[in-house]
Amino acid sequence: MLRDLLHPDGGGGDRFRIRLLEKVEEAVDAFSALRSNRSALRRAVVGVLREAGYNAGVCKTRWEASGNLTAGNHEFIDVIAGPVGGGGDPRRYVVDLDFAGEFEIARPTAEYGRVMEAMPRGVVVVEAERLRRAVRAVAEAARRSMKARGLSLPPWRKTRYAIAKWLGPHRRSTTSAVSSSAVVSGGGGSVGCREVGFDAAVSVLPPVTRTR
């Protein structure tokens, strides 16, 4: 299931997704000098994507503690694409440069090791609903693994917290007219961004319950 959800050749061969992944990987390779500065790397990648005509932005989710949900934040890239066939709602693709790294746990069981092996290493490009399903599956596998090892589940490993990382309320910024090449050649060391505000349309879970 995870391979079908997270690998670009799964789920019917989404050509837009495959081309987008190729472009992101090219940009990551081109800006490999920024790997130690993930924030700058994300902004450089967004600059490349926007220059190529994609509606890309850097998103930062942020949520307050609520119930059994611990406060937290996360940063990633998203790309908004037109609906298939010209009808329906726009499609939102989440782009994370180290998705699997967000799910590393201590003393994993063999089962959880197989779960990690099923996930792409490095860049992941996936539609929002597919991401939600994948995160739920991995978070549940992590819970079983930690329980089997006699470890308590920390708040930041709960399903609600994991989902909130990518699908919670977020602030989205897009590159300015500054070229993405400014990140490595000078220009203050970063690509200019403009804030577009929190997108209230994106919810973590149905109203009433919220998760990490």
Side-chain angles (χ1 to χ4, degrees):
M1 183 188 72
L2 284 175
R3 290 190 181 95
D4 287 343
L5 291 172
L6 297 176
H7 288 267
D9 54 352
D14 183 337
R15 297 303 304 170
F16 179 91
R17 180 185 177 190
I18 291 170
R19 290 193 300 270
L20 175 57
L21 175 60
E22 291 172 349
K23 195 67 177 178
V24 172
E25 290 178 334
E26 289 174 6
V28 170
D29 287 342
F31 290 96
S32 59
L34 294 177
R35 288 185 185 275
S36 61
N37 186 336
R38 289 285 178 172
S39 183
L41 178 59
R42 278 186 286 268
R43 281 155 179 75
V45 170
V46 165
V48 170
L49 293 178
R50 293 190 69 83
E51 288 172 2
Y54 290 97
N55 178 7
V58 174
C59 296
K60 184 169 184 177
T61 50
R62 185 178 68 248
W63 60 96
E64 303 300 328
S66 174
N68 63 350
L69 177 64
T70 302
N73 62 79
H74 185 62
E75 190 173 274
F76 59 96
I77 296 167
D78 80 349
V79 173
I80 308 300
V84 177
D89 297 325
R91 293 167 293 159
R92 183 183 186 223
Y93 291 83
V94 171
V95 179
D96 198 291
L97 305 185
D98 185 26
F99 181 77
E102 295 296 319
F103 295 95
E104 298 285 353
I105 65 173
R107 298 169 56 197
T109 59
E111 176 198 6
Y112 194 71
R114 291 192 294 273
V115 168
M116 293 298 292
E117 289 173 3
M119 291 196 287
R121 308 309 298 183
V123 177
V124 163
V125 174
V126 59
E127 281 193 84
E129 186 52 40
R130 285 176 172 269
L131 175 72
R132 185 190 300 273
R133 291 165 58 193
V135 168
R136 283 187 181 280
V138 179
E140 173 58 22
R143 185 193 66 79
R144 291 197 304 269
S145 177
M146 298 186 75
K147 182 178 180 181
R149 296 299 193 196
L151 301 174
S152 59
L153 186 70
W156 56 90
R157 289 298 180 195
K158 293 183 178 179
T159 302
R160 286 183 60 207
Y161 188 97
I163 291 176
K165 281 186 176 182
W166 294 278
L167 300 177
H170 64 278
R171 188 178 298 279
R172 188 176 194 259
S173 62
T174 58
T175 57
S176 68
V178 179
S179 169
S180 56
S181 61
V183 176
V184 291
S185 63
S190 64
V191 176
C193 296
R194 70 180 169 82
E195 294 182 346
V196 251
F198 281 98
D199 184 355
V202 180
S203 61
V204 181
L205 291 173
V208 185
T209 55
R210 304 192 59 165
T211 319
R212 182 173 185 171

Coordinates of all heavy atoms in Angstrom, one line a residue, residues 165-201:
K165 N 1.6 17.8 10.5 CA 2.9 18.2 9.9 C 2.7 18.7 8.5 O 3.2 19.8 8.1 CB 3.9 17.1 9.9 CG 4.6 16.9 11.3 CD 5.8 15.9 11.1 CE 6.5 15.7 12.4 NZ 7.6 14.7 12.2
W166 N 1.9 18.0 7.7 CA 1.7 18.3 6.3 C 0.4 18.8 6.0 O 0.2 19.5 5.0 CB 2.0 17.1 5.4 CG 3.4 16.6 5.5 CD1 4.5 17.2 4.8 CD2 4.0 15.6 6.3 NE1 5.7 16.5 5.1 CE2 5.4 15.6 6.1 CE3 3.5 14.7 7.3 CZ2 6.2 14.6 6.7 CZ3 4.3 13.8 7.9 CH2 5.7 13.8 7.6
L167 N -0.6 18.5 6.8 CA -2.0 18.9 6.4 C -2.7 19.8 7.4 O -3.9 20.0 7.4 CB -2.8 17.6 6.2 CG -2.3 16.7 5.1 CD1 -3.2 15.4 5.0 CD2 -2.3 17.4 3.8
G168 N -1.9 20.4 8.3 CA -2.5 21.3 9.3 C -2.6 22.7 8.7 O -2.1 23.0 7.6
P169 N -3.1 23.7 9.5 CA -3.2 25.1 9.0 C -1.7 25.5 8.7 O -0.8 25.3 9.5 CB -3.7 25.8 10.2 CG -4.5 24.7 11.0 CD -3.7 23.5 10.8
H170 N -1.6 26.2 7.6 CA -0.2 26.6 7.2 C -0.1 28.0 6.6 O -1.1 28.5 6.2 CB 0.3 25.5 6.2 CG -0.5 25.5 4.9 ND1 -1.6 24.9 4.8 CD2 -0.2 26.1 3.7 CE1 -2.1 25.0 3.5 NE2 -1.3 25.8 2.9
R171 N 1.1 28.5 6.7 CA 1.5 29.7 6.0 C 2.3 29.4 4.7 O 3.2 28.6 4.8 CB 2.3 30.6 6.9 CG 2.5 32.1 6.3 CD 3.2 32.9 7.3 NE 2.5 33.1 8.5 CZ 1.5 34.0 8.7 NH1 1.1 34.7 7.7 NH2 1.0 34.1 9.9
R172 N 1.9 29.9 3.6 CA 2.5 29.6 2.3 C 3.2 30.8 1.8 O 2.7 31.9 1.7 CB 1.5 29.1 1.3 CG 2.0 28.5 0.0 CD 0.9 28.0 -0.9 NE 1.4 27.2 -2.0 CZ 1.5 27.6 -3.2 NH1 1.2 28.8 -3.6 NH2 1.9 26.7 -4.1
S173 N 4.5 30.6 1.4 CA 5.2 31.7 0.8 C 5.8 31.3 -0.6 O 6.1 30.1 -0.8 CB 6.4 32.2 1.7 OG 7.3 31.1 1.9
T174 N 5.8 32.2 -1.5 CA 6.3 31.9 -2.8 C 7.5 32.8 -3.1 O 7.7 33.8 -2.5 CB 5.2 32.2 -3.9 OG1 4.8 33.6 -3.8 CG2 4.0 31.3 -3.7
T175 N 8.4 32.3 -4.0 CA 9.6 33.1 -4.4 C 9.2 34.4 -5.0 O 8.2 34.6 -5.7 CB 10.5 32.3 -5.3 OG1 9.7 32.0 -6.5 CG2 11.0 31.1 -4.7
S176 N 10.0 35.4 -4.8 CA 9.9 36.7 -5.4 C 10.5 36.7 -6.8 O 10.9 35.6 -7.3 CB 10.5 37.8 -4.6 OG 11.9 37.7 -4.6
A177 N 10.8 37.9 -7.4 CA 11.4 37.9 -8.7 C 12.9 37.6 -8.6 O 13.5 37.4 -9.6 CB 11.3 39.3 -9.2
V178 N 13.4 37.4 -7.4 CA 14.8 37.0 -7.2 C 15.0 35.6 -7.8 O 14.3 34.7 -7.5 CB 15.2 37.1 -5.7 CG1 16.7 36.6 -5.6 CG2 15.0 38.4 -5.2
S179 N 16.0 35.4 -8.6 CA 16.3 34.1 -9.2 C 16.7 33.2 -8.1 O 17.4 33.5 -7.1 CB 17.4 34.3 -10.2 OG 17.9 33.0 -10.6
S180 N 16.4 31.9 -8.3 CA 16.8 30.9 -7.3 C 18.3 30.7 -7.3 O 18.8 30.2 -6.3 CB 16.1 29.5 -7.7 OG 16.5 29.1 -9.0
S181 N 19.0 31.1 -8.3 CA 20.4 31.0 -8.3 C 21.1 31.9 -7.3 O 22.2 31.7 -6.9 CB 21.0 31.3 -9.7 OG 20.7 32.7 -10.1
A182 N 20.3 32.9 -6.8 CA 20.9 33.8 -5.8 C 21.2 33.1 -4.5 O 22.0 33.6 -3.7 CB 19.9 34.9 -5.5
V183 N 20.6 31.9 -4.3 CA 20.8 31.2 -3.0 C 22.3 30.8 -2.9 O 22.9 30.8 -1.9 CB 19.9 30.0 -2.9 CG1 20.2 29.2 -1.7 CG2 18.5 30.4 -2.9
V184 N 22.9 30.4 -4.1 CA 24.3 29.9 -4.0 C 25.3 30.9 -4.5 O 26.5 30.8 -4.3 CB 24.4 28.6 -4.8 CG1 23.7 27.5 -4.1 CG2 23.9 28.7 -6.2
S185 N 24.8 31.9 -5.3 CA 25.8 32.8 -5.9 C 25.8 34.2 -5.1 O 26.6 35.1 -5.5 CB 25.4 33.1 -7.3 OG 24.1 33.7 -7.4
G186 N 25.0 34.3 -4.1 CA 25.0 35.6 -3.4 C 23.6 36.0 -3.1 O 22.8 35.2 -2.7
G187 N 23.4 37.3 -3.3 CA 22.0 37.8 -3.1 C 21.5 37.6 -1.7 O 20.3 37.4 -1.5
G188 N 22.3 37.7 -0.7 CA 21.8 37.6 0.7 C 21.7 36.2 1.2 O 21.2 36.1 2.3
G189 N 21.9 35.2 0.4 CA 21.9 33.9 0.9 C 20.5 33.2 0.9 O 20.3 32.1 1.4
S190 N 19.5 33.9 0.4 CA 18.1 33.3 0.4 C 17.3 33.9 -0.6 O 17.5 35.0 -1.1 CB 17.5 33.5 1.8 OG 17.2 34.9 2.0
V191 N 16.3 33.2 -1.0 CA 15.3 33.7 -2.0 C 14.3 34.4 -1.3 O 13.7 34.0 -0.3 CB 14.7 32.5 -2.8 CG1 13.7 33.0 -3.8 CG2 15.8 31.7 -3.5
G192 N 13.9 35.6 -1.9 CA 12.9 36.4 -1.2 C 11.5 35.7 -1.3 O 11.2 35.1 -2.3
C193 N 10.7 35.9 -0.3 CA 9.4 35.2 -0.2 C 8.4 36.3 0.2 O 8.6 37.2 0.8 CB 9.4 34.1 0.8 SG 10.5 32.7 0.4
R194 N 7.1 36.0 -0.3 CA 6.0 36.8 0.2 C 5.0 35.9 0.9 O 4.8 34.8 0.4 CB 5.4 37.6 -0.9 CG 4.6 36.8 -1.9 CD 4.0 37.7 -3.0 NE 3.4 36.8 -4.0 CZ 2.2 36.2 -3.9 NH1 1.5 36.4 -2.9 NH2 1.8 35.4 -4.9
E195 N 4.5 36.4 2.0 CA 3.5 35.6 2.7 C 2.2 35.6 2.1 O 1.7 36.7 1.6 CB 3.4 36.0 4.2 CG 4.7 35.9 4.9 CD 4.6 36.3 6.4 OE1 3.6 37.0 6.7 OE2 5.5 36.0 7.2
V196 N 1.5 34.5 2.0 CA 0.1 34.5 1.5 C -0.9 34.2 2.6 O -2.0 34.1 2.4 CB 0.0 33.5 0.4 CG1 -0.2 34.2 -0.9 CG2 1.1 32.5 0.3
G197 N -0.4 33.9 3.8 CA -1.3 33.7 5.0 C -1.7 32.3 5.2 O -1.4 31.4 4.4
F198 N -2.4 32.0 6.3 CA -2.8 30.7 6.6 C -4.0 30.3 5.8 O -4.9 31.1 5.5 CB -3.2 30.6 8.1 CG -2.0 30.5 9.0 CD1 -1.5 31.6 9.6 CD2 -1.3 29.3 9.2 CE1 -0.4 31.5 10.4 CE2 -0.2 29.2 10.0 CZ 0.3 30.3 10.6
D199 N -3.9 29.1 5.3 CA -5.0 28.5 4.4 C -6.0 27.8 5.3 O -5.7 26.6 5.7 CB -4.3 27.6 3.4 CG -5.4 27.0 2.4 OD1 -6.5 27.3 2.6 OD2 -4.9 26.3 1.5
A200 N -7.1 28.4 5.6 CA -8.0 27.8 6.5 C -8.8 26.7 5.9 O -9.5 25.9 6.5 CB -9.0 28.9 7.0
A201 N -8.7 26.5 4.6 CA -9.4 25.5 3.9 C -8.8 24.1 4.1 O -9.4 23.1 3.9 CB -9.4 25.7 2.4

